[in-house]
Amino acid sequence: MEQAEVVRNQLLGETLIKNLTRRGFGAYYCATKEEALSKALELIPETDVVAWGGSVSVQEIGLLDAVKKRNPVIDREKAADLAEKTELMRKSLTCDTFLMSSNAVSKDGQLVNIDGNGNRVAAMIFGPKQVVMIVGMNKVAGTLEGALDRARHVAAPINAARFAGLDTPCAKLGTCADCAKPESICSQIVISRTCRVPNRIKIILVGEALGF
């Protein structure tokens, strides 16, 4: 990464922290993945039951592997079938710490997230005692409209491409077509303007590109 980009991310991160804090979110800036992992583990008690939504960012900093070794976890990928997986997803809504990223963040401190089943955004909104988000600076948009556009036309199509055989326009075209298919991964679009319980949602901004 060029030094100029490092400086820009740091400066923008400082602005975002002020705006996120003003809206009730806990906010932290870490220049590297390694710093982000250390900060995340500092925020999560070792006794916490931890669950997570699908997040490449959480995996990329090594947080998923770390909590699996250190904490009691709810791992839906270990389910024997769909019924057990669904039950584990429900159980995740009452965990102590829920891990995720955000599809986009506006410069004024609003979060934009898109979900298919809704389990990820449901946990973000209510249930777990705390939510820890890992967000690369590549997900920051200048405006709320820009954040919505990023979530729908960048994050969602890439996410759709991860699921083999998904029959949605975005999986075939690479951009949102505002479909209403049963398989749509954009069934829920959530804008989090504020954190109703101060500091329940903690956002670790990372000065590197993470996820998509």
Side-chain angles (χ1 to χ4, degrees):
M1 184 184 299
E2 295 290 337
Q3 183 59 28
E5 187 176 357
V6 172
V7 173
R8 176 263 184 187
N9 284 349
Q10 175 73 43
L11 293 173
L12 180 55
E14 291 172 2
T15 298
L16 269 170
I17 285 173
K18 291 177 183 177
N19 290 336
L20 288 164
T21 301
R22 177 173 57 85
R23 293 177 179 273
F25 300 101
Y28 312 86
Y29 183 82
C30 295
T32 66
K33 297 182 181 75
E34 293 76 18
E35 290 177 20
L37 174 59
S38 178
K39 172 56 70 174
L41 292 174
E42 178 187 316
L43 295 173
I44 305 168
E46 292 186 25
T47 55
D48 270 18
V49 175
V50 179
W52 50 86
S55 172
V56 172
S57 300
V58 171
Q59 294 181 42
E60 285 180 337
I61 71 164
L63 183 54
L64 212 54
D65 289 337
V67 295
K68 285 180 180 179
K69 292 175 183 176
R70 195 192 73 165
N71 290 77
V73 301
I74 300 171
D75 188 351
R76 65 186 183 185
E77 296 307 319
K78 291 187 176 181
D81 52 34
L82 181 58
E84 184 182 358
K85 184 175 183 178
T86 301
E87 188 56 34
L88 288 174
M89 289 163 70
R90 289 196 181 101
K91 190 176 180 181
S92 296
L93 299 178
T94 57
C95 71
D96 298 306
T97 295
F98 190 84
L99 307 177
M100 60 181 289
S101 186
S102 185
N103 295 132
V105 182
S106 64
K107 189 176 68 174
D108 66 354
Q110 299 185 71
L111 312 179
V112 175
N113 282 283
I114 284 180
D115 218 348
N117 291 322
N119 61 294
R120 186 176 65 101
V121 293
M124 176 184 67
I125 293 168
F126 185 82
K129 292 178 182 177
Q130 71 166 353
V131 176
V132 175
M133 288 189 173
I134 308 300
V135 182
M137 292 299 289
N138 54 308
K139 296 186 176 183
V140 178
T143 63
L144 178 59
E145 291 73 19
L148 281 162
D149 185 75
R150 185 192 190 284
R152 296 191 70 180
H153 297 284
V154 177
I158 296 174
N159 195 33
R162 295 169 62 210
F163 303 105
L166 190 67
D167 186 25
T168 62
C170 65
K172 299 173 181 178
L173 302 175
T175 188
C176 180
D178 198 28
C179 77
K181 283 180 166 286
E183 304 92 340
S184 173
I185 62 169
C186 299
S187 296
Q188 323 296 328
I189 301 177
V190 176
I191 299 171
S192 301
R193 296 182 54 256
T194 64
C195 185
R196 185 71 177 269
V197 179
N199 294 316
R200 175 181 168 270
I201 299 175
K202 299 173 176 65
I203 300 159
I204 300 175
L205 299 168
V206 187
E208 300 183 23
L210 293 174
F212 44 80

